[in-house]
Amino acid sequence: MTLRRRQSGMSMLGIFVVLLMLGFFALCAIRIAPPYFEYLSVKNILSNIAIAPETAEESVRQIRRSIASNYNTNQIYETEAKDVNIFRRGGKTYIDASYEVRLPIAWRVDAVVSFDDLIYVVGQADPISPDLVPSS
């Protein structure tokens, strides 16, 4: 009888619960990874367009065409070039490509991933905070 008191460890139910939790988190990572990698591509595309010297002289339509061409080349599917907001304020051109992706995880469980740090000023390689955009 003293042998039972010395034995310790997880029961089968405990192991099952741990495996279930690990499986759920692995499923979440598998579902969220493709939109995240696509976001990194979008960020790279917009950064390259924002720092290109010819972008400062281009019209909004030409910038949007350049974005659409790069989206098509890099197979960006979560957002479209027409959803990118390009505007001029205070003598600067801003490119705002912030978007959200809603992903089904399992049954009625969804994940919403928000990419709201994609606001660029033409001439700068790094995105700016939404708070720094001047109001109209």
Side-chain angles (χ1 to χ4, degrees):
M1 286 297 187
T2 60
L3 185 61
R4 278 191 137 184
R5 289 186 198 160
R6 291 183 186 169
Q7 292 179 353
S8 63
M10 292 182 70
S11 66
M12 286 300 284
L13 181 62
I15 292 172
F16 179 71
V17 169
V18 169
L19 289 177
L20 188 67
M21 288 180 6
L22 289 174
F24 177 75
F25 288 123
L27 178 67
C28 288
I30 289 169
R31 296 281 177 120
I32 292 175
Y36 183 74
F37 288 128
E38 191 167 294
Y39 153 75
L40 292 176
S41 295
V42 168
K43 192 172 182 178
N44 189 21
I45 289 168
L46 294 177
S47 177
N48 289 339
I49 289 174
I51 63 171
E54 64 272 3
T55 305
E57 290 86 32
E58 290 180 342
S59 69
V60 171
R61 180 175 285 169
Q62 290 170 325
I63 295 171
R64 192 175 312 279
R65 191 176 309 130
S66 176
I67 291 171
S69 173
N70 281 298
Y71 275 15
N72 188 28
T73 302
N74 290 295
Q75 298 180 352
I76 304 298
Y77 299 118
E78 295 295 338
T79 184
E80 297 180 17
K82 67 180 181 180
D83 298 330
V84 177
N85 189 13
I86 303 168
F87 56 94
R88 291 191 167 96
R89 289 200 184 123
K92 295 182 180 179
T93 304
Y94 295 89
I95 302 171
D96 182 4
S98 302
Y99 66 100
E100 287 184 346
V101 178
R102 184 181 193 105
L103 305 164
I105 299 296
W107 193 47
R108 293 185 183 203
V109 178
D110 290 348
V112 177
V113 184
S114 178
F115 303 112
D116 58 355
D117 63 339
L118 292 172
I119 302 175
Y120 287 85
V121 178
V122 171
Q124 297 178 6
D126 296 324
I128 63 169
S129 170
D131 302 332
L132 297 177
V133 177
S135 60
S136 54

